[in-house]
Amino acid sequence: MEKEAFSSALFSLFDRQRFEGNNHLAALIRETESRYGDHALSDDALLFVSAAGEATSRRKSAQPEDDGL
Amino acid sequence: MITAEGREAIYLECEPKVRRYIAARVANPQDAEDLTSEVFLKVYRQLDCFDESRAAVSTWVYAITRNAVIDYYRTRRIQSEVPETLAAGGDMEEAIFRADTLEALAVALEALDERRRDIIILRYYRGLTLREIARRMNLSYAYIKTLQNSALAELKRRLS
């Protein structure tokens, strides 16, 4: 499997976790979040959250080189 | 033909999952509520087409929920594009919908050292970029990238 396809699959698996809530995986996620706290919301995501906590339609700037595998 | 009791059982099993998933994806509470209702309208409308020999009900409802959220982003133009953590899929669709894949992922992640596991979870669950992860972990971007590549290779080996 190519790196990009595997990367894409991981995003999908973690997305499914948000629905299914596998206990084992949830425990590992909690451990990571306990180390990095609730500030683990991405800077990119914060761009779309208004003071009232609602998403806005602000366009994000692309950084295609940022997460190359 | 699924009975009224069957419909109620599906609702009781899946409603909390649908609600939690949508709440994590849709910031506006009213939109989240509307979307949850839309999902169950679709579920009930398509219920007679559901083939339980091919997938568990929960898996089928997940697929409907995920598509509903993607449609929400696309049609209401909340952002310029569907979030990276939601848009993926591709060739792994079948494996993603297998019931045991999440447990296999957990086992593979647990085998990684703590630092590499944290990077994978922050990147693929939280949706942080590598630069954001580098800042939060107080490590260089280049090192985070190296650790991520190593973690991905190890996970791929264990999950293949």
Side-chain angles (χ1 to χ4, degrees), chain B residues 1 3 6 14 34 41-42 61 74 78 83 108 111-112 114 116 118 122 126 129 135 153:
Chain B
M1 187 73 180
T3 63
C14 296
D34 291 347
L41 282 176
K42 283 181 187 168
V61 173
R74 286 181 178 153
I78 297 300
L112 296 176
E114 187 177 287
R116 290 190 301 163
D118 286 342
L122 291 173
R126 276 293 161 203
T129 66
R135 280 203 299 275

PDB file of all heavy atoms in Angstrom, chain B residues 1 3 6 14 34 41-42 61 74 78 83 108 111-112 114 116 118 122 126 129 135 153:
ATOM      1  N   MET B   1     -38.420  -7.404   5.782  1.00  0.00           N
ATOM      2  CA  MET B   1     -39.118  -6.228   6.339  1.00  0.00           C
ATOM      3  C   MET B   1     -38.797  -6.100   7.833  1.00  0.00           C
ATOM      4  O   MET B   1     -38.978  -7.047   8.582  1.00  0.00           O
ATOM      5  CB  MET B   1     -40.629  -6.414   6.134  1.00  0.00           C
ATOM      6  CG  MET B   1     -41.459  -5.217   6.517  1.00  0.00           C
ATOM      7  SD  MET B   1     -41.280  -3.881   5.321  1.00  0.00           S
ATOM      8  CE  MET B   1     -42.349  -2.659   6.013  1.00  0.00           C
ATOM      9  N   THR B   3     -39.371  -4.796  11.540  1.00  0.00           N
ATOM     10  CA  THR B   3     -40.534  -4.414  12.344  1.00  0.00           C
ATOM     11  C   THR B   3     -40.290  -3.099  13.084  1.00  0.00           C
ATOM     12  O   THR B   3     -39.159  -2.602  13.143  1.00  0.00           O
ATOM     13  CB  THR B   3     -40.821  -5.505  13.395  1.00  0.00           C
ATOM     14  OG1 THR B   3     -39.671  -5.566  14.261  1.00  0.00           O
ATOM     15  CG2 THR B   3     -41.049  -6.865  12.741  1.00  0.00           C
ATOM     16  N   GLY B   6     -37.757  -3.560  15.609  1.00  0.00           N
ATOM     17  CA  GLY B   6     -36.419  -3.561  15.014  1.00  0.00           C
ATOM     18  C   GLY B   6     -35.920  -2.151  14.797  1.00  0.00           C
ATOM     19  O   GLY B   6     -34.745  -1.837  15.056  1.00  0.00           O
ATOM     20  N   CYS B  14     -27.933   3.047  18.003  1.00  0.00           N
ATOM     21  CA  CYS B  14     -27.101   3.951  17.185  1.00  0.00           C
ATOM     22  C   CYS B  14     -27.261   5.441  17.487  1.00  0.00           C
ATOM     23  O   CYS B  14     -26.361   6.226  17.164  1.00  0.00           O
ATOM     24  CB  CYS B  14     -27.391   3.721  15.703  1.00  0.00           C
ATOM     25  SG  CYS B  14     -26.932   2.067  15.158  1.00  0.00           S
ATOM     26  N   ASP B  34     -30.356  18.993  13.759  1.00  0.00           N
ATOM     27  CA  ASP B  34     -31.055  18.764  12.481  1.00  0.00           C
ATOM     28  C   ASP B  34     -30.420  17.609  11.714  1.00  0.00           C
ATOM     29  O   ASP B  34     -31.115  16.775  11.130  1.00  0.00           O
ATOM     30  CB  ASP B  34     -31.014  20.035  11.614  1.00  0.00           C
ATOM     31  CG  ASP B  34     -31.859  21.155  12.195  1.00  0.00           C
ATOM     32  OD1 ASP B  34     -32.666  20.879  13.116  1.00  0.00           O
ATOM     33  OD2 ASP B  34     -31.701  22.306  11.748  1.00  0.00           O
ATOM     34  N   LEU B  41     -33.853   9.799   9.410  1.00  0.00           N
ATOM     35  CA  LEU B  41     -34.828   9.759   8.309  1.00  0.00           C
ATOM     36  C   LEU B  41     -34.269   8.913   7.163  1.00  0.00           C
ATOM     37  O   LEU B  41     -34.974   8.083   6.586  1.00  0.00           O
ATOM     38  CB  LEU B  41     -35.123  11.176   7.811  1.00  0.00           C
ATOM     39  CG  LEU B  41     -36.075  12.004   8.673  1.00  0.00           C
ATOM     40  CD1 LEU B  41     -36.184  13.419   8.110  1.00  0.00           C
ATOM     41  CD2 LEU B  41     -37.452  11.352   8.738  1.00  0.00           C
ATOM     42  N   LYS B  42     -32.979   9.122   6.847  1.00  0.00           N
ATOM     43  CA  LYS B  42     -32.346   8.343   5.782  1.00  0.00           C
ATOM     44  C   LYS B  42     -32.271   6.866   6.163  1.00  0.00           C
ATOM     45  O   LYS B  42     -32.516   5.982   5.340  1.00  0.00           O
ATOM     46  CB  LYS B  42     -30.935   8.867   5.497  1.00  0.00           C
ATOM     47  CG  LYS B  42     -30.917  10.138   4.689  1.00  0.00           C
ATOM     48  CD  LYS B  42     -29.490  10.595   4.428  1.00  0.00           C
ATOM     49  CE  LYS B  42     -29.487  11.965   3.766  1.00  0.00           C
ATOM     50  NZ  LYS B  42     -28.168  12.582   3.731  1.00  0.00           N
ATOM     51  N   VAL B  61     -25.037   2.413   9.548  1.00  0.00           N
ATOM     52  CA  VAL B  61     -25.478   3.728  10.041  1.00  0.00           C
ATOM     53  C   VAL B  61     -24.287   4.704  10.065  1.00  0.00           C
ATOM     54  O   VAL B  61     -24.437   5.887   9.758  1.00  0.00           O
ATOM     55  CB  VAL B  61     -26.128   3.612  11.443  1.00  0.00           C
ATOM     56  CG1 VAL B  61     -26.438   4.991  12.025  1.00  0.00           C
ATOM     57  CG2 VAL B  61     -27.408   2.787  11.358  1.00  0.00           C
ATOM     58  N   ARG B  74     -20.182  20.252   2.319  1.00  0.00           N
ATOM     59  CA  ARG B  74     -20.161  20.644   0.902  1.00  0.00           C
ATOM     60  C   ARG B  74     -21.292  21.598   0.556  1.00  0.00           C
ATOM     61  O   ARG B  74     -21.082  22.603  -0.110  1.00  0.00           O
ATOM     62  CB  ARG B  74     -20.244  19.393   0.025  1.00  0.00           C
ATOM     63  CG  ARG B  74     -18.924  18.639   0.019  1.00  0.00           C
ATOM     64  CD  ARG B  74     -18.982  17.420  -0.869  1.00  0.00           C
ATOM     65  NE  ARG B  74     -17.673  16.754  -0.873  1.00  0.00           N
ATOM     66  CZ  ARG B  74     -17.489  15.469  -1.085  1.00  0.00           C
ATOM     67  NH1 ARG B  74     -18.523  14.683  -1.315  1.00  0.00           N
ATOM     68  NH2 ARG B  74     -16.280  14.950  -1.078  1.00  0.00           N
ATOM     69  N   ILE B  78     -19.428  25.434   4.878  1.00  0.00           N
ATOM     70  CA  ILE B  78     -18.951  25.864   6.193  1.00  0.00           C
ATOM     71  C   ILE B  78     -17.463  26.192   6.113  1.00  0.00           C
ATOM     72  O   ILE B  78     -16.966  27.115   6.710  1.00  0.00           O
ATOM     73  CB  ILE B  78     -19.184  24.755   7.239  1.00  0.00           C
ATOM     74  CG1 ILE B  78     -20.676  24.490   7.374  1.00  0.00           C
ATOM     75  CG2 ILE B  78     -18.581  25.129   8.595  1.00  0.00           C
ATOM     76  CD1 ILE B  78     -21.497  25.675   7.801  1.00  0.00           C
ATOM     77  N   PRO B  83     -13.034  18.664   5.928  1.00  0.00           N
ATOM     78  CA  PRO B  83     -11.833  18.461   6.740  1.00  0.00           C
ATOM     79  C   PRO B  83     -11.079  17.199   6.332  1.00  0.00           C
ATOM     80  O   PRO B  83     -11.681  16.185   5.998  1.00  0.00           O
ATOM     81  CB  PRO B  83     -12.394  18.322   8.161  1.00  0.00           C
ATOM     82  CG  PRO B  83     -13.705  19.002   8.125  1.00  0.00           C
ATOM     83  CD  PRO B  83     -14.240  18.826   6.741  1.00  0.00           C
ATOM     84  N   ALA B 108      -1.776  -2.278  17.398  1.00  0.00           N
ATOM     85  CA  ALA B 108      -0.583  -1.804  16.669  1.00  0.00           C
ATOM     86  C   ALA B 108      -0.061  -0.496  17.270  1.00  0.00           C
ATOM     87  O   ALA B 108       1.148  -0.305  17.410  1.00  0.00           O
ATOM     88  CB  ALA B 108      -0.918  -1.619  15.190  1.00  0.00           C
ATOM     89  N   ALA B 111       1.864  -0.912  20.488  1.00  0.00           N
ATOM     90  CA  ALA B 111       3.211  -1.466  20.323  1.00  0.00           C
ATOM     91  C   ALA B 111       4.246  -0.370  20.022  1.00  0.00           C
ATOM     92  O   ALA B 111       5.445  -0.608  20.129  1.00  0.00           O
ATOM     93  CB  ALA B 111       3.207  -2.509  19.212  1.00  0.00           C
ATOM     94  N   LEU B 112       3.773   0.793  19.621  1.00  0.00           N
ATOM     95  CA  LEU B 112       4.700   1.904  19.362  1.00  0.00           C
ATOM     96  C   LEU B 112       5.158   2.515  20.676  1.00  0.00           C
ATOM     97  O   LEU B 112       4.456   2.428  21.685  1.00  0.00           O
ATOM     98  CB  LEU B 112       4.002   3.004  18.538  1.00  0.00           C
ATOM     99  CG  LEU B 112       3.538   2.680  17.126  1.00  0.00           C
ATOM    100  CD1 LEU B 112       2.794   3.892  16.549  1.00  0.00           C
ATOM    101  CD2 LEU B 112       4.707   2.308  16.237  1.00  0.00           C
ATOM    102  N   GLU B 114       5.739   5.675  23.207  1.00  0.00           N
ATOM    103  CA  GLU B 114       4.763   6.718  23.551  1.00  0.00           C
ATOM    104  C   GLU B 114       4.826   7.930  22.607  1.00  0.00           C
ATOM    105  O   GLU B 114       3.811   8.442  22.160  1.00  0.00           O
ATOM    106  CB  GLU B 114       5.028   7.152  24.988  1.00  0.00           C
ATOM    107  CG  GLU B 114       4.009   8.111  25.549  1.00  0.00           C
ATOM    108  CD  GLU B 114       4.345   8.407  27.002  1.00  0.00           C
ATOM    109  OE1 GLU B 114       4.136   7.522  27.843  1.00  0.00           O
ATOM    110  OE2 GLU B 114       4.827   9.526  27.281  1.00  0.00           O
ATOM    111  N   ARG B 116       5.946   8.239  19.476  1.00  0.00           N
ATOM    112  CA  ARG B 116       5.438   8.004  18.117  1.00  0.00           C
ATOM    113  C   ARG B 116       3.925   7.773  18.133  1.00  0.00           C
ATOM    114  O   ARG B 116       3.212   8.185  17.230  1.00  0.00           O
ATOM    115  CB  ARG B 116       6.174   6.823  17.467  1.00  0.00           C
ATOM    116  CG  ARG B 116       7.628   7.155  17.138  1.00  0.00           C
ATOM    117  CD  ARG B 116       8.282   6.088  16.297  1.00  0.00           C
ATOM    118  NE  ARG B 116       8.269   4.792  16.974  1.00  0.00           N
ATOM    119  CZ  ARG B 116       8.472   3.629  16.368  1.00  0.00           C
ATOM    120  NH1 ARG B 116       8.710   3.591  15.076  1.00  0.00           N
ATOM    121  NH2 ARG B 116       8.468   2.499  17.046  1.00  0.00           N
ATOM    122  N   ASP B 118       1.832   9.172  20.235  1.00  0.00           N
ATOM    123  CA  ASP B 118       1.234  10.503  20.403  1.00  0.00           C
ATOM    124  C   ASP B 118       1.168  11.241  19.059  1.00  0.00           C
ATOM    125  O   ASP B 118       0.167  11.895  18.743  1.00  0.00           O
ATOM    126  CB  ASP B 118       2.046  11.337  21.395  1.00  0.00           C
ATOM    127  CG  ASP B 118       1.836  10.878  22.835  1.00  0.00           C
ATOM    128  OD1 ASP B 118       0.851  10.178  23.086  1.00  0.00           O
ATOM    129  OD2 ASP B 118       2.671  11.232  23.694  1.00  0.00           O
ATOM    130  N   LEU B 122      -2.277  12.563  17.479  1.00  0.00           N
ATOM    131  CA  LEU B 122      -2.468  14.010  17.277  1.00  0.00           C
ATOM    132  C   LEU B 122      -2.671  14.333  15.801  1.00  0.00           C
ATOM    133  O   LEU B 122      -3.466  15.203  15.448  1.00  0.00           O
ATOM    134  CB  LEU B 122      -1.269  14.785  17.823  1.00  0.00           C
ATOM    135  CG  LEU B 122      -1.112  14.775  19.342  1.00  0.00           C
ATOM    136  CD1 LEU B 122       0.206  15.419  19.751  1.00  0.00           C
ATOM    137  CD2 LEU B 122      -2.278  15.477  20.031  1.00  0.00           C
ATOM    138  N   ARG B 126      -6.683  13.924  16.006  1.00  0.00           N
ATOM    139  CA  ARG B 126      -6.937  15.338  16.272  1.00  0.00           C
ATOM    140  C   ARG B 126      -6.836  16.212  15.025  1.00  0.00           C
ATOM    141  O   ARG B 126      -7.335  17.325  15.009  1.00  0.00           O
ATOM    142  CB  ARG B 126      -5.962  15.843  17.338  1.00  0.00           C
ATOM    143  CG  ARG B 126      -6.412  15.576  18.735  1.00  0.00           C
ATOM    144  CD  ARG B 126      -7.648  16.377  19.071  1.00  0.00           C
ATOM    145  NE  ARG B 126      -8.327  15.818  20.222  1.00  0.00           N
ATOM    146  CZ  ARG B 126      -9.615  16.017  20.461  1.00  0.00           C
ATOM    147  NH1 ARG B 126     -10.348  16.715  19.633  1.00  0.00           N
ATOM    148  NH2 ARG B 126     -10.181  15.498  21.516  1.00  0.00           N
ATOM    149  N   THR B 129      -1.514  19.517  12.218  1.00  0.00           N
ATOM    150  CA  THR B 129      -0.449  19.400  11.219  1.00  0.00           C
ATOM    151  C   THR B 129       0.845  19.016  11.938  1.00  0.00           C
ATOM    152  O   THR B 129       0.958  19.155  13.167  1.00  0.00           O
ATOM    153  CB  THR B 129      -0.224  20.732  10.479  1.00  0.00           C
ATOM    154  OG1 THR B 129       0.283  21.686  11.416  1.00  0.00           O
ATOM    155  CG2 THR B 129      -1.512  21.248   9.844  1.00  0.00           C
ATOM    156  N   ARG B 135       5.333  22.022  17.586  1.00  0.00           N
ATOM    157  CA  ARG B 135       5.253  23.095  18.591  1.00  0.00           C
ATOM    158  C   ARG B 135       4.777  22.545  19.935  1.00  0.00           C
ATOM    159  O   ARG B 135       5.336  22.855  20.986  1.00  0.00           O
ATOM    160  CB  ARG B 135       4.296  24.194  18.111  1.00  0.00           C
ATOM    161  CG  ARG B 135       4.924  25.163  17.118  1.00  0.00           C
ATOM    162  CD  ARG B 135       4.185  26.495  17.107  1.00  0.00           C
ATOM    163  NE  ARG B 135       2.793  26.375  16.714  1.00  0.00           N
ATOM    164  CZ  ARG B 135       2.375  26.364  15.444  1.00  0.00           C
ATOM    165  NH1 ARG B 135       3.246  26.463  14.457  1.00  0.00           N
ATOM    166  NH2 ARG B 135       1.093  26.259  15.152  1.00  0.00           N
ATOM    167  N   ALA B 153       5.456   3.413   9.057  1.00  0.00           N
ATOM    168  CA  ALA B 153       6.018   2.167   8.514  1.00  0.00           C
ATOM    169  C   ALA B 153       5.745   0.999   9.457  1.00  0.00           C
ATOM    170  O   ALA B 153       5.377  -0.102   9.022  1.00  0.00           O
ATOM    171  CB  ALA B 153       7.525   2.347   8.290  1.00  0.00           C
TER     172      ALA B 153
END
